[in-house]
């Protein structure tokens, strides 16, 4: 496999800003000395990687790389908001679609009200097939965009439209299109963690739960692959399938932080523990795993494996569901760089953390934070998503999914 140009990082500094109508471009590059009075929200700086734009060494602006830190709510506030959301969901013919990495309150409430908690593949399928005319997607922006692409007639609301993803940020459409143009003979396969515009440039979309099956089928049909944006997941797929792949050089700020040396030390402390790893993690961490897979695959492994203890290398938002479904088992977080200046995420996505009960109630009440995708983009962006959903549906029902992959030259 070949990587696109080396990555650089840039940083924005932590600071506090007033909560009212914060927009990414309003964030100054360093602390502005504002008061930390009651009506303020902490803004966390987030470092992420992007390929260089050219030989001059310039990188894409990182001014949007920040995240709000939501306030902690009291038990009474949480109970009051949950009751309000339950009422609004009924009134608005709406359903909650939550990712495994968001706050436990948003996971539990989704399931209690007839919604879903799942990985991005099942979120996409559920939103498309559910009768509700309004989807409240708790996760990051690409998940809301995917829901809108699949259901353009529905209203898709998100608690915070600024909740983004380092993989999406690190794969701007202009540079990505130029990269694709350099490899016209390759089938473009992109991960779900990308913008609508990048999806519209792709031949296939995949999630971590179906990437291996789809790339293996493409390889068997003679395709050479251009993969974006996560280099770790791409390298894992290449190693597992033997496909001919070139990679975009992106990384998830959460999974990229897991450390093999510290993981080996933790394994020595818990010799009976099985290690469960998401394939967005670095190769040396994946090599220590007893099971590698998507969030849903990690849940399945925890349920089925004959062990009482597990070390888990994925976003620690997963711990809620793992512990709820397996109360007799013990789960430990895999080590990152630690809670220090060198830690970008400390095993929790800062953008997933922006989703909160108060904002879910607010958007249901007001219709704010509706996702908009350029209508001209939707048919082309939907094509790779529909291919993925048809492939995975065939796989699930025991049909020959490989038949859905055209032999090279026919795509």
């Amino acid at each position: 496999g070949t990587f696109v140009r080396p990555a650089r990082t840039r940083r924005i500094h932590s600071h506090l800003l007033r909560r009212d109508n914060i927009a990414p471009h309003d964030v100054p590059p360093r602390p502005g000395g504002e008061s930390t009075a009651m009506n303020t929200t902490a803004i966390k700086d987030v470092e992420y990687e992007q390929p260089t734009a050219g030989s001059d060494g310039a990188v894409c602006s990182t001014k949007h790389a920040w995240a709000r830190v939501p306030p902690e709510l009291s038990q009474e506030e949480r109970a009051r908001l949950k009751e309000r959301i339950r009422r609004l969901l009924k009134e608005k013919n709406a359903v909650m679609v939550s990712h495994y990495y968001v706050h436990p309150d948003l996971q539990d409430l989704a399931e209690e009200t007839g919604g879903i908690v799942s990985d991005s593949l099942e979120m996409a399928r559920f939103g498309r097939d559910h009768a509700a005319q309004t989807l409240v997607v708790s996760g990051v922006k690409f998940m809301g965009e995917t829901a809108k692409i699949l259901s353009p007639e529905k209203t898709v609301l998100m608690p915070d439209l600024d909740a983004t993803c380092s993989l999406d940020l690190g794969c701007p459409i202009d540079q990505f299109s130029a990269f694709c143009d350099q490899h016209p003979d390759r089938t473009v396969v992109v991960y779900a963690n990308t913008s609508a515009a990048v999806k519209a440039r792709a031949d296939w979309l995949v999630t971590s739960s179906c990437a291996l099956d789809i790339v293996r089928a493409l390889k068997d049909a003679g395709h050479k692959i251009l993969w974006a944006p996560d280099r770790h997941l791409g390298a894992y797929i290449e190693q597992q399938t033997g496909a001919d792949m070139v990679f975009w050089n992106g990384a998830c700020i959460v999974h990229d932080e897991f450390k093999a040396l510290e993981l080996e030390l933790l394994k020595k402390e818990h010799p009976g523990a099985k290690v469960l790893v998401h394939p967005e993690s670095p190769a040396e961490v994946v090599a220590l795993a007893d099971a590698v897979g998507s969030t849903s695959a990690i849940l399945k492994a925890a349920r089925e494996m004959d062990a009482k203890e597990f070390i888990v290398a994925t976003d620690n938002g997963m711990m809620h569901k793992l512990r709820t479904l397996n109360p007799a088992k013990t789960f430990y977080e895999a080590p990152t760089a630690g809670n220090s200046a060198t830690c970008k995420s400390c095993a929790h996505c800062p953008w997933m953390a922006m989703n909160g009960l108060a904002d879910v109630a607010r958007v249901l009440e007001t219709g704010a934070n509706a996702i908009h995708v350029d209508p001209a983009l939707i048919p082309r962006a939907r094509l790779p998503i529909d291919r993925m959903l048809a492939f995975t549906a065939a796989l699930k029902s025991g049909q020959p999914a490989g038949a859905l992959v055209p032999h090279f030259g026919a795509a």
Side-chain angles (χ1 to χ4, degrees), residues 73-136:
L73 302 174
S74 69
Q75 285 294 107
E76 294 77 17
E77 287 172 315
R78 289 163 64 199
R80 197 161 52 245
L81 283 166
K82 285 179 183 179
E83 204 43 57
R84 191 165 134 212
I85 290 165
R86 284 190 183 95
R87 174 176 55 79
L88 287 164
L89 287 168
K90 286 178 186 168
E91 282 177 18
K92 307 284 186 178
N93 185 23
V95 69
M96 288 180 69
V97 183
S98 297
H99 192 270
Y100 287 125
Y101 294 165
V102 298
H103 194 284
D105 284 346
L106 297 177
Q107 298 187 41
D108 293 344
L109 191 57
E111 292 188 326
E112 289 163 15
T113 55
I116 193 174
V117 180
S118 67
D119 61 14
S120 55
L121 173 62
E122 287 308 314
M123 286 173 78
R125 204 192 314 273
F126 181 89
R128 179 196 63 182
D129 297 342
H130 199 277
Q133 285 307 294
T134 296
L135 309 175
V136 184

Side-chain angles (χ1 to χ4, degrees), residues 31-343:
E34 293 226 15
S35 153
T36 59
M38 296 236 340
N39 191 30
T40 61
T41 295
I43 303 292
K44 179 178 180 176
D45 71 322
V46 185
E47 223 177 68
Y48 70 98
E49 292 182 302
Q50 283 195 306
T52 55
S55 56
D56 61 354
V59 294
C60 296
S61 167
T62 60
K63 66 184 178 182
H64 292 260
W66 57 273
R68 291 184 190 81
V69 181
E72 280 299 315
L73 302 174
S74 69
Q75 285 294 107
E76 294 77 17
E77 287 172 315
R78 289 163 64 199
R80 197 161 52 245
L81 283 166
K82 285 179 183 179
E83 204 43 57
R84 191 165 134 212
I85 290 165
R86 284 190 183 95
R87 174 176 55 79
L88 287 164
L89 287 168
K90 286 178 186 168
E91 282 177 18
K92 307 284 186 178
N93 185 23
V95 69
M96 288 180 69
V97 183
S98 297
H99 192 270
Y100 287 125
Y101 294 165
V102 298
H103 194 284
D105 284 346
L106 297 177
Q107 298 187 41
D108 293 344
L109 191 57
E111 292 188 326
E112 289 163 15
T113 55
I116 193 174
V117 180
S118 67
D119 61 14
S120 55
L121 173 62
E122 287 308 314
M123 286 173 78
R125 204 192 314 273
F126 181 89
R128 179 196 63 182
D129 297 342
H130 199 277
Q133 285 307 294
T134 296
L135 309 175
V136 184
V137 178
S138 295
V140 291
K141 193 170 183 183
F142 78 81
M143 296 172 178
E145 286 186 340
T146 302
K148 187 67 177 177
I149 291 163
L150 286 170
S151 306
E153 76 289 353
K154 293 183 181 180
T155 299
V156 179
L157 305 175
M158 296 197 74
D160 197 318
L161 289 179
D162 293 319
T164 185
C165 168
S166 58
L167 289 167
D168 185 352
L169 285 173
C171 191
I173 184 57
D174 292 345
Q175 287 95 316
F176 180 66
S177 286
F179 183 51
C180 293
D181 291 342
Q182 291 166 20
H183 302 279
D185 59 327
R186 290 183 178 269
T187 298
V188 179
V189 180
V190 303
Y191 196 30
N193 303 38
T194 46
S195 67
V198 167
K199 289 178 176 71
R201 189 67 173 78
D203 299 304
W204 285 81
L205 184 77
V206 297
T207 69
S208 52
S209 58
C210 63
L212 275 174
D213 290 320
I214 288 176
V215 171
R216 193 175 282 119
L218 287 166
K219 180 214 170 201
D220 291 347
H223 293 253
K224 294 193 293 181
I225 309 296
L226 183 153
W227 169 269
D230 191 291
R231 64 176 181 270
H232 295 310
L233 180 57
Y236 173 73
I237 291 165
E238 180 188 48
Q239 183 250 324
Q240 291 290 308
T241 64
D244 181 337
M245 298 173 69
V246 295
F247 307 105
W248 185 259
N249 197 8
C252 165
I253 61 166
V254 176
H255 296 95
D256 200 35
E257 287 289 292
F258 291 116
K259 307 297 177 190
L261 178 62
E262 287 84 349
L263 178 53
E264 288 186 277
L265 293 173
L266 190 59
K267 280 180 72 173
K268 284 177 183 169
E269 286 179 36
H270 304 282
K274 298 291 186 186
V275 179
L276 311 178
V277 175
H278 193 286
E280 288 176 31
S281 305
E284 58 272 21
V285 174
V286 171
L288 297 171
D290 295 292
V292 181
S294 65
T295 48
S296 50
I298 285 172
L299 282 171
K300 186 171 186 283
R303 187 174 67 246
E304 295 177 357
M305 289 178 88
D306 185 23
K308 292 293 182 192
E309 293 184 307
F310 294 88
I311 299 168
V312 184
T314 192
D315 190 292
N316 64 23
M318 273 289 290
M319 292 299 190
H320 175 64
K321 186 58 70 179
L322 285 165
R323 287 168 178 153
T324 304
L325 295 177
N326 305 280
K329 298 182 178 184
T330 304
F331 296 90
Y332 306 103
E333 291 181 28
T336 66
N339 291 295
S340 69
T342 59
C343 184

